[in-house]
Every structure is written in C-alpha cells, then in structure tokens.
Amino acid sequence: MRNTKLPIILAAGAVLIVSAVAFAQPRHHPRYLHARTDLRTAQFLMRVHDEPNVMRHLRQADDEIDQAVREIDRAAVIDHRDLEDRPPIDRRLDRHGRFHRAMELLQAARSDIGREEDNPRALAWRDAAYRHIDAAMDQLRRAVRDLHMDHMEGY
C-alpha cells in the first residue's frame, strides 16, 4: 500500500519553510536609514558655539533636522527598523569645513529619501522630511552667509 499523504506533507512543509524564510528576510530600506544617519551627523557637525547671529540659524537648522528625523523614524517604525545610530564625527574640521560637510550630508540625505519608494504609506513622511531638510539647508546657508559677513567685518 502506497502512502499518498507523504508528498502532500512534504509540499506543505516546503511551502512553510519558503514562506518562513521569505518573512524572515529583512525588507531593504537602507536609503532612509542612511539618510537618518547623514542627518544626525550633519546635526552634530553644526552643534558648535558661534556668534549669536550664526547660532540663531544653526538652532533653526537643528530643529528642522530633528523634525526630518522624526518623519524618517515614523517610516522606520512602520518597517520595524532599529533606530539606534551613533555616527562618528570628524572633530578635526574647522568651522567652514564642518558647515561644508554638514551641507553635503543634508544633500545626501535628501537624495537618499528621494529614491523611488515602494511603501505607499511612506510617501507622506518622505514629503514632510523633504520640507524639513530643505528648511535646514536654507538655515545652514544663512548661517554660513552670516559667518562670512562677520569675518568680512573683522569679527
């Protein structure tokens, strides 16, 4: 007598194993996690003591970056991502170098979240993050302009 249940049991087991492996595979969204790290790094680079007119813009940029990171965090929670990051900071940069590097990081973060999004629920956070990153870049430009003017005037 032939056992007809064995192939069915093996097929069901194979389906369960394949679906378990597929479910265990992490969904890939390294772009926005990389963008988050870039934003935090830029934020740390801008946390320097400077003239009050420069600091005003840097504080506003800092607030905008915080808000952009919160938007990215919302998407990370949707995708069950680990949000711990402690980016290394190059402390040898002078003020101009730090601000230049911070701008590069903000541009890179904007580019990273600008890629095609495969999660339609994430479009709202991405658009909000865009606005905050753009506002942070604007404030950083203003801080650099004020810093340049201070140096031109001898401060």
Side-chain angles (χ1 to χ4, degrees):
M1 193 155 163
R2 197 170 162 195
N3 188 353
T4 58
K5 292 184 180 179
L6 183 60
I8 294 171
I9 292 171
L10 289 175
V15 167
L16 287 174
I17 290 172
V18 168
S19 63
V21 168
F23 185 74
Q25 293 290 331
R27 289 172 291 207
H28 294 287
H29 281 287
R31 293 183 303 263
Y32 68 72
L33 294 178
H34 188 260
R36 186 183 194 278
T37 300
D38 285 347
L39 290 170
R40 286 293 187 208
T41 305
Q43 190 174 43
F44 293 143
L45 286 170
M46 291 187 296
R47 288 183 175 170
V48 296
H49 181 71
D50 218 307
E51 298 299 322
N53 59 335
V54 175
M55 290 304 298
R56 176 186 57 197
H57 298 299
L58 294 179
R59 279 191 294 276
Q60 289 174 339
D62 190 84
D63 291 343
E64 294 293 342
I65 291 171
D66 272 340
Q67 292 177 36
V69 168
R70 272 190 237 118
E71 296 298 334
I72 290 171
D73 288 352
R74 288 185 184 127
V77 168
I78 290 170
D79 285 341
H80 308 289
R81 293 295 177 177
D82 181 17
L83 301 177
E84 291 297 318
D85 63 350
R86 301 283 187 260
I89 306 299
D90 185 356
R91 301 195 188 281
R92 297 171 294 170
L93 294 172
D94 63 1
R95 277 191 303 192
H96 296 289
R98 292 166 68 100
F99 293 162
H100 182 74
R101 179 69 182 134
M103 184 61 77
E104 288 173 351
L105 290 164
L106 291 172
Q107 291 167 340
R110 193 178 195 294
S111 175
D112 282 341
I113 66 169
R115 305 276 167 86
E116 182 178 341
E117 180 55 57
D118 60 354
N119 182 350
R121 296 182 302 172
L123 294 176
W125 71 258
R126 183 186 66 190
D127 293 343
Y130 270 146
R131 288 189 298 276
H132 293 300
I133 292 170
D134 289 345
M137 291 168 60
D138 182 55
Q139 291 300 322
L140 181 56
R141 284 185 195 100
R142 291 174 187 217
V144 169
R145 185 178 56 238
D146 284 355
L147 182 64
H148 179 72
M149 292 302 292
D150 287 350
H151 285 287
M152 295 293 290
E153 293 177 10
Y155 294 111

